[in-house]
Amino acid sequence: MRLFVGLDVSLEKTAICVISEHGKIVREAQAASEPEGLMRWMGDLDGTIAAIGLEAGPLSQWLHRGLTQAGLDAVLMETRQVKG
């Protein structure tokens, strides 16, 4: 099953929401705002991660770089543009 991961990044913790290809919420949680912790958490998912969306913010570029260097398809999103 293809999974889509949304990350709402803050300084200490990142809120995670995983949605199936059918639009159903599969899992929600929080993890430390660091690439290694997020990758470890996502590694336990039952399915294939199709895309990861990160809210643009102070830590987002660092997290984006860490996730993409690990081979994950991560996209930075500006909140105001996504809402529209």
Side-chain angles (χ1 to χ4, degrees), residues 43-83:
D44 291 337
L45 293 172
D46 187 25
T48 302
I49 297 174
I52 302 167
L54 291 97
E55 174 187 18
L59 293 178
S60 299
Q61 290 181 353
W62 174 64
L63 292 173
H64 178 267
R65 185 172 42 252
L67 296 171
T68 55
Q69 286 177 349
L72 297 170
D73 185 16
V75 178
L76 282 173
M77 298 181 289
E78 173 59 45
T79 307
R80 286 173 276 163
Q81 291 177 341
V82 173
K83 184 178 179 184

Side-chain angles (χ1 to χ4, degrees), residues 32-53:
S33 292
E34 58 182 47
E36 296 81 13
L38 293 169
M39 288 184 291
R40 195 170 32 253
W41 189 91
M42 288 185 270
D44 291 337
L45 293 172
D46 187 25
T48 302
I49 297 174
I52 302 167

